[in-house]
Amino acid sequence: QSVLTQPPSVSGAPGQRVTISCTGSSSNIGAGYDVHWYQQLPGTAPKLLIYGNSNRPSGVPDRFSGSKSGTSASLAITGLQAEDEADYYCQSYDSSLSGYYVFGTGTKVTVL
Amino acid sequence: QVQLVQSGAEVKKPGASVKVSCKASGYTFTSYYMHWVRQAPGQGLEWMGIINPSGGSTSYAQKFQGRVTMTRDTSTSTVYMELSSLRSEDTAVYYCARGVVERFDPWGQGTLVTVSS
């Protein structure tokens, strides 16, 4: 069971901006733990997209950006492109007993 | 470059065990923790546990306590994940992923485990 809540799907036309929310609680995001984001293209393994709330690994386009506030975080994709169609997951650390590392429920991004 | 290569797909009967391997290359094996994450068909990501390749210590998600065992072989830079008492709900793709601080990077290509009678 995912501890972090994301919208099941978001969509946008090419060139548009879309955002994905990730809502947690006081035992994970709200406790100050960093949020990381992963992109999973169809049939492939997840790939790190954003780390430490807002940092992009080398090679990730600056169209992708992340932010965090309180018990939530967001991923924004500006200038949406066809190749951005994928599943996106947020991830953080949780200090409760049920599990240490937690993922979001996942969001499917569709490019119209 | 850093690479994690996992073993091939498995088909198991209910009640059996499965052991998946993950061979690391391109970095110092004992310097980074390794996680295991699974993804059931059409579902999200689920963290299973973590192993410290240096000393072999492990920590498992409560859900898998008593059924999962993670081990490592430093001579071959390989970590293993064994899941026992398999049931149909364990059908999933199992990933290993290197732990960098609190994030996962990179990931192995995944191993499909199918549990079916």
Side-chain angles (χ1 to χ4, degrees):
Chain A
Q1 292 79 7
S2 298
V3 175
L4 307 178
T5 302
Q6 300 177 231
S9 64
V10 298
S11 62
Q16 284 191 327
R17 179 179 188 268
V18 297
T19 62
I20 302 170
S21 61
C22 172
T23 303
S25 67
S26 58
S27 64
N28 42 68
I29 299 175
Y33 296 112
D34 283 344
V35 177
H36 317 289
W37 291 88
Y38 302 87
Q39 178 191 59
Q40 186 174 33
L41 297 169
T44 69
K47 169 193 152 188
L48 181 66
L49 191 67
I50 296 287
Y51 68 93
N53 306 316
S54 59
N55 301 290
R56 284 186 308 277
S58 173
V60 173
D62 59 7
R63 308 185 284 105
F64 295 93
S65 62
S67 63
K68 172 190 160 184
S69 178
T71 58
S72 296
S74 289
L75 173 71
I77 310 174
T78 57
L80 194 64
Q81 298 184 6
E83 59 260 37
D84 299 333
E85 189 158 292
D87 293 323
Y88 294 81
Y89 293 90
C90 58
Q91 175 255 314
S92 186
Y93 182 88
D94 192 285
S95 57
S96 69
L97 292 177
S98 61
Y100 299 99
Y101 296 84
V102 291
F103 287 95
T105 48
T107 299
K108 169 71 176 179
V109 170
T110 301
V111 181
L112 301 172
Chain B
Q1 75 284 17
V2 177
Q3 197 171 11
L4 304 176
V5 178
Q6 299 183 221
S7 49
E10 303 261 15
V11 179
K12 296 292 182 181
K13 293 194 182 302
S17 297
V18 68
K19 191 170 186 177
V20 180
S21 68
C22 169
K23 183 173 176 60
S25 62
Y27 70 97
T28 302
F29 177 66
T30 51
S31 294
Y32 295 85
Y33 285 60
M34 196 74 79
H35 298 266
W36 286 92
V37 177
R38 78 176 186 180
Q39 185 172 36
Q43 303 300 308
L45 302 170
E46 182 176 32
W47 182 76
M48 299 181 68
I50 185 174
I51 181 169
N52 179 354
S54 179
S57 60
T58 56
S59 183
Y60 306 134
Q62 201 166 42
K63 175 177 179 176
F64 300 101
Q65 291 270 6
R67 276 211 306 147
V68 70
T69 303
M70 296 176 188
T71 56
R72 94 291 188 215
D73 181 343
T74 56
S75 68
T76 60
S77 299
T78 303
V79 295
Y80 300 90
M81 186 284 299
E82 184 170 21
L83 189 62
S84 62
S85 302
L86 290 169
R87 34 208 187 231
S88 59
E89 310 89 87
D90 294 317
T91 293
V93 175
Y94 290 77
Y95 294 102
C96 59
R98 190 181 68 160
V100 181
V101 191
E102 294 168 359
R103 61 189 184 264
F104 303 77
D105 182 42
W107 297 58
Q109 84 276 19
T111 297
L112 175 62
V113 175
T114 303
V115 183
S116 174
S117 53

